[in-house]
Amino acid sequence: MIDLGQQRSKLCAGVSRRSFLKIGSLAAGGLSLPTLLRTRAQAGDAKNRPPRAVIQFYLEGGLTHHDSYDPKPAAPREIRGPFSAIDTAVPGVQFSDQLPRQAQIANKLTALRAVSHGTADHATGQHWMLTGYPGGTNRAAGGNDQPATGAVVSALLGSDQRELPSYMTLSNRGGGYAYRHAAYLGVAHNPFDVFADPNRPQFRVPNLAIENGLEGVRLDDRLALVHKLDSLRRDIDQRGEMAGLDAFTRQAFHLITGARAQSAFQIDAESTAMREQYGRTRIGQCTLLARRLVEAGVPFITVHDVGWDNHDRIEQAMRGKLPPLDQALAALVTDLDERGLPDDVLILLIGEFGRTPRINANAGRDHWGNVFSVLLAGGGLRHCGAYGASNAQGASPVSGTVSPGDIFATMYHFLGIDPHSTVHDLSGRPVQLLPEGTVLSALV
């Protein structure tokens, strides 16, 4: 994994020959990064427009569905919460009054109101909603039992542009989030993490650093990176171990150092009006940066936001969190429409679960996996404002129940990936992309 931004990992001065060889030969069912790059180069796959892409918002901690996409205005206050319900552009569909901008474009959105997996455990829920598989047993080690969906997209599709990574995260946590990794698909498909804040003046992509997963190397600048690789190449050549490490392997280290990537990260090239349209907040500018990156050819980007695990004072928390998210997401949908890309980018907003129907003694809501909401936008889907329903208390599904597998099957289908296909683990054993789930036919 290559991190761009604040570094919290202890780094060493060099990289071992074994690690360098691993970088070029990490396999995913016979698919390695050099092979992928070589195949795409031979195919001459440059296009005049971006490929299909996914922008995923991951709200770590679990979004409260009562106070966002599934309000219960007729319920007692201890259930309906502190916010009012407002009408949307879709007759009969209401959102929280904290989402007025999304309410105005609800005909371009679908709130899945009956998502359910049944777990109230952070680790299990996070793993489930980021990979499609229940799990999370390796959380202490920061590992996945199954590859994150972004890593699957990286392994099976790669990037439309060889200068760019295939899977990126824009995070407001220096260490990222636990279950974003590629697992047995290999570290070549781990995300490129950006921890720097694009809302800060003079935002830039700082120096590259390869974290401890590859035994670590810190490089002062791109020239130092090239020099280090050249030195390693000479050292390894003396031992006759360069088989399989060609120019395409080295190109993997330059994915984010070319002119195209540098241009994509230049968020200050956007007009002041556009930047204000998304909101001069971290999540607003991360969302704008995500749009720039998918236009440049990155097929999967996660905008990761922490602070949604509100066991107390949920009203104050949501008054601070929901309006910036509302502005950013509504701006993204509108912007993609105006750029002629509403069918080419799927927007997915998820958390690991919802929050309890009843507000607790600390004026917060606790974990709830029996039913919660997930938002979809774009992707050429037939949007209807809301799909499925929870009961009057927002405690359980009553119609249109959706599993995590259904969501990701729909996402893979959008990208042209067969959701029932398989990849291979490190032992060569075939593993299904998803253990369950079918495409949401009502939306496609």
Side-chain angles (χ1 to χ4, degrees), residues 128-354:
W128 215 331
M129 295 304 296
L130 291 166
T131 72
Y133 276 81
T137 58
N138 292 328
R139 187 180 188 191
N144 302 22
D145 298 321
Q146 298 292 330
T149 54
V152 172
V153 173
S154 174
L156 298 185
L157 296 185
S159 173
D160 185 57
Q161 299 293 334
R162 292 186 299 276
E163 291 183 357
L164 290 161
S166 304
Y167 170 31
M168 296 190 62
T169 68
L170 311 176
S171 178
N172 65 343
R173 171 179 286 174
Y177 53 96
Y179 301 124
R180 69 194 187 280
H181 298 105
Y184 50 74
L185 293 182
V187 296
H189 301 297
N190 278 353
F192 285 70
D193 288 326
V194 176
F195 300 135
D197 183 356
N199 192 42
R200 298 187 65 179
Q202 290 83 46
F203 163 75
R204 64 182 181 87
V205 177
N207 300 327
L208 298 180
I210 300 175
E211 279 193 345
N212 291 342
L214 292 178
E215 299 179 32
V217 60
R218 185 173 179 96
L219 301 163
D220 290 335
D221 52 36
R222 286 180 284 167
L223 292 177
L225 171 60
V226 174
H227 174 74
K228 177 69 68 174
L229 295 177
D230 285 343
S231 298
L232 285 169
R233 177 177 291 274
R234 288 192 297 271
D235 180 61
I236 298 173
D237 274 340
Q238 293 174 3
R239 296 169 173 82
E241 295 178 275
M242 283 303 297
L245 292 177
D246 58 10
F248 290 92
T249 298
R250 293 187 61 191
Q251 188 179 19
F253 289 92
H254 294 276
L255 285 170
I256 57 171
T257 62
R260 189 178 185 91
Q262 293 298 314
S263 176
F265 280 112
Q266 289 175 355
I267 196 168
D268 57 1
E270 297 287 341
S271 68
T272 299
M274 181 60 71
R275 298 195 71 177
E276 291 180 351
Q277 179 178 328
Y278 278 81
R280 291 311 300 256
T281 59
R282 182 163 191 155
I283 195 167
Q285 297 304 294
C286 281
T287 303
L288 176 55
L289 182 58
R291 188 269 285 163
R292 291 181 61 85
L293 290 165
V294 297
E295 280 193 307
V298 180
F300 198 103
I301 300 170
T302 296
V303 177
H304 169 229
D305 194 57
V306 300
W308 298 86
D309 190 22
N310 305 119
H311 293 275
D312 55 25
R313 296 181 296 176
I314 198 164
E315 179 177 1
Q316 295 91 322
M318 291 302 97
R319 289 192 185 280
K321 300 288 282 186
L322 284 173
L325 173 66
D326 180 49
Q327 181 174 1
L329 197 145
L332 177 62
V333 172
T334 302
D335 196 8
L336 291 173
D337 279 357
E338 292 173 350
R339 292 170 181 273
L341 298 173
D343 297 341
D344 298 316
V345 181
L346 177 66
I347 300 166
L348 176 64
L349 184 145
I350 61 173
E352 56 261 43
F353 38 55

Side-chain angles (χ1 to χ4, degrees), residues 31-45 162 248:
L31 179 69
S32 66
L33 183 56
T35 302
L36 173 62
L37 292 168
R38 187 183 302 107
T39 300
R40 295 182 72 85
Q42 291 171 348
D45 57 3
R162 292 186 299 276
F248 290 92

